[in-house]
Amino acid sequence: MSDEDQDDAPFGLSGDRAGTILGDVKRKLIDTKEQWARDGRGMSAKAPQSASGDKPRLPPGQRLTQDFPVLDLGIQPAIALRDWRLTVSGLVENSIDWGWEDFRAQPHTKLTTDIHCVTTWSRYGNAWEGVCAEQFLSVVKPKPEAAHLIFHCHDGYTTNVPLKAFADDDVIIAHSWNGEPLSREHGGPIRPIIPKLYFWKSAKWCKHITFLDKDAPGFWEVRGYHNNGDPWKEERYG
Ligand SMILES: Nc1nc2c(c(=O)[nH]1)N[C@H]1C(S)=C(S)[C@@H](COP(=O)(O)O)O[C@H]1N2
Ligand SMILES: [Mo]
């Protein structure tokens, strides 16, 4: 072992050492992706089927994790409940402007869903509580031309989903996770949860929702992520 190897704390990333470690990590990621490509690991048609013929719980290319990683643009806005608002505009009959009391006065729902992140971690059994999409849509009343939703967030992030995907019975605008108020790092006070799409479609610190007739790709969608993001079809990129 050379002196250089013994010098640094194992994860003290500085100078050339940082270059080497980051290089190794990057190469590993690329190697993994290349291996997956060689294996033909991809579309749901090739995913293993359970004996009953139901689709497996873990989508292709995902691995299960017990913890709850935090991923965002590096800004985690702190929003006091007294200042919090949720507004809706565009092709709806009722352009709401809710404060926290208005949100809490809505009928609430509890549901438990799995998370699938495009970075390949999945987390089972997340217990959410909040206002379900069906209830929310019954209040804002989308006009017949409305076909797409855009979520706008306090950190400048945006993401788009088809109204059809949002209108699903497992979609919820959540204010709590596993019995606790949704933490700031995971997007509290509220975030829409859309379990059938990769987790980048579940916008943290959501403040405004627009209903449009045309699609409008969001932050990651214009940066190479798939426009739809269905984990079962492995719609990760492009
Ligand atoms: N406002 C906002 N929402 C966001 C993001 C973001 O940067 N800002 N990142 C998205 C991405 S890429 C992922 S993977 C998930 C991560 O959510 P988590 O930090 O709760 O795991 O949030 C999504 N929602
Ligand atoms: Mo992500």
Side-chain angles (χ1 to χ4, degrees):
M1 205 187 252
S2 72
D3 284 354
E4 200 194 315
D5 285 331
Q6 292 167 349
D7 262 5
D8 294 305
F11 298 105
L13 298 180
S14 62
D16 290 349
R17 194 87 179 103
T20 311
I21 292 172
L22 291 176
D24 285 349
V25 170
K26 213 170 168 187
R27 204 169 318 119
K28 255 192 193 159
L29 283 172
I30 293 166
D31 286 351
T32 305
K33 292 252 161 79
E34 283 179 347
Q35 189 57 50
W36 288 1
R38 279 195 292 273
D39 292 350
R41 189 153 178 177
M43 298 311 168
S44 50
K46 288 182 183 172
Q49 299 294 309
S50 66
S52 65
D54 293 343
K55 66 182 176 187
R57 189 167 178 181
L58 195 65
Q62 295 295 109
R63 67 192 159 73
L64 199 53
T65 182
Q66 305 297 327
D67 41 54
F68 192 177
V70 174
L71 291 135
D72 50 51
L73 306 174
I75 309 154
Q76 297 181 339
I79 304 132
L81 293 184
R82 66 173 180 282
D83 300 329
W84 180 88
R85 304 213 72 82
L86 179 65
T87 54
V88 171
S89 68
L91 297 169
V92 291
E93 303 290 347
N94 184 15
S95 300
I96 60 158
D97 178 357
W98 279 347
W100 190 247
E101 296 307 317
D102 304 313
F103 179 78
R104 292 309 308 251
Q106 290 295 312
H108 276 57
T109 304
K110 289 181 182 181
L111 55 90
T112 298
T113 68
D114 297 344
I115 294 172
H116 307 298
C117 176
V118 70
T119 59
T120 75
W121 59 268
S122 291
R123 191 183 190 289
Y124 291 165
N126 300 276
W128 308 103
E129 186 173 355
V131 177
C132 70
E134 187 188 10
Q135 169 62 26
F136 182 75
L137 291 171
S138 77
V139 175
V140 301
K141 298 185 175 60
K143 292 182 176 173
E145 316 88 84
H148 302 275
L149 275 72
I150 317 297
F151 299 104
H152 301 260
C153 309
H154 279 280
D155 61 345
Y157 184 82
T158 57
T159 189
N160 56 319
V161 297
L163 174 54
K164 261 196 192 128
F166 180 78
D168 213 334
D169 61 5
D170 59 357
V171 172
I172 188 166
I173 302 175
H175 65 70
S176 93
W177 173 81
N178 287 1
E180 301 286 337
L182 189 61
S183 68
R184 173 176 161 188
E185 59 181 2
H186 287 298
I190 62 105
R191 96 190 270 187
I193 300 294
I194 305 165
K196 289 197 186 76
L197 300 178
Y198 282 123
F199 208 34
W200 88 77
K201 295 286 189 181
S202 294
K204 308 205 283 191
W205 315 293
C206 182
K207 63 173 182 181
H208 183 61
I209 305 173
T210 51
F211 285 70
L212 307 174
D213 53 354
K214 290 186 188 64
D215 199 5
F219 183 90
W220 283 121
E221 291 83 5
V222 301
R223 287 170 175 80
Y225 279 32
H226 197 282
N227 194 54
N228 191 50
D230 180 345
W232 302 100
K233 297 180 185 159
E234 232 184 328
E235 293 175 339
R236 296 178 193 276
Y237 308 108

